[in-house]
Amino acid sequence: MLPSDGMPTALIPVFIPAEALKHRIAELAKEIRGDVPNDDLHFVCVLKGGVLFLADLIREMEGTVTMDFMALSSYGSGTTSSGEVRLVKDLDYGLEGRNVIIVEDIVDTGLTLHYLQEILRARNPRSLRTACLLSKPSRRKIDVSVDYIGFTIEDRFVVGYGLDYSEQYRNLPYIGALQ
Ligand code: IMP
């Protein structure tokens, strides 16, 4: 059972503590930079869930970094995916010739990411890689490649650190589990 609106954030059990997020994100930043050592990196962040992850990831990066934002809708206000993905806000800049890193909060069924990778690949980036803070492999409906994964988790509904339930709880500094 998920809590109704307005559950006090202090009551949400910690699933991944803030210190573990910080440590892992620093490792991911090193890994990403290590794969593209001498070139610019262009981060494409998926709103809104990826924002906190992006903010911490780029602060751990060395070298030239640019960013852009995109919004997709795949979930309604509940916790089950409709499977339908829609582009709600497009990027401000083109991707031609850039080393693009997609930054997503979580890959669940994989439908959103698959859609996103298809449309971005068609814009001719020099390279296209994907970083997801969380992955729930047991929920996959489509085979999608994710180059950098922060944490692989079981099938739990998680919130915090950018992730929401009905637009709430994005501000938690840790990942909490609602079920
Ligand atoms: P997918 O298309 O099923 O992979 O869903 C991806 C999107 O669903 C993510 O970007 C999230 O916005 C949302 N989502 C999936 N699982 C969770 C969760 O456990 N908590 C919050 N949002 C989730």
Side-chain angles (χ1 to χ4, degrees):
M1 226 0 213
L2 289 164
S4 58
D5 288 358
M7 176 170 174
T9 51
L11 296 182
I12 295 175
V14 176
F15 188 63
I16 305 175
E19 307 75 57
L21 294 172
K22 187 174 166 42
H23 180 78
R24 182 67 186 128
I25 289 168
E27 287 181 347
L28 287 177
K30 275 213 181 68
E31 206 185 324
I32 293 169
R33 177 45 86 197
D35 288 345
V36 186
N38 301 313
D39 215 339
D40 300 354
L41 284 170
H42 187 62
F43 288 85
V44 167
C45 176
V46 184
L47 295 170
K48 306 164 195 150
V51 164
L52 275 70
F53 177 34
L54 174 83
D56 285 343
L57 188 65
I58 60 169
R59 277 182 287 188
E60 297 285 349
M61 300 290 310
E62 296 182 0
T64 304
V65 162
T66 52
M67 68 181 109
D68 204 349
F69 297 88
M70 179 160 219
L72 303 166
S73 81
S74 59
Y75 264 57
S77 55
T79 61
T80 41
S81 174
S82 62
E84 191 190 310
V85 184
R86 218 160 36 93
L87 181 59
V88 177
K89 183 219 172 289
D90 206 343
L91 299 171
D92 292 334
Y93 304 104
L95 301 181
E96 182 107 30
R98 294 178 187 251
N99 294 303
V100 174
I101 311 284
I102 299 172
V103 177
E104 250 284 44
D105 53 359
I106 187 165
V107 52
D108 185 30
T109 64
L111 294 168
T112 309
L113 195 54
H114 177 77
Y115 170 82
L116 186 59
Q117 289 177 345
E118 294 281 292
I119 58 172
L120 297 189
R121 205 170 282 122
R123 297 180 187 187
N124 298 319
R126 183 181 309 167
S127 61
L128 182 66
R129 294 185 176 82
T130 302
C132 288
L133 181 63
L134 304 172
S135 171
K136 288 195 251 185
S138 67
R139 298 252 315 154
R140 242 18 137 255
K141 285 190 180 154
I142 192 161
D143 193 22
V144 67
S145 89
V146 185
D147 306 273
Y148 311 101
I149 293 174
F151 298 87
T152 297
I153 63 170
E154 71 241 49
D155 183 13
R156 306 279 296 269
F157 194 81
V158 290
V159 294
Y161 198 73
L163 289 121
D164 76 308
Y165 171 64
S166 286
E167 295 297 328
Q168 293 182 76
Y169 312 120
R170 294 192 196 275
N171 56 315
L172 292 184
Y174 56 88
I175 300 284
L178 286 191
Q179 39 159 228

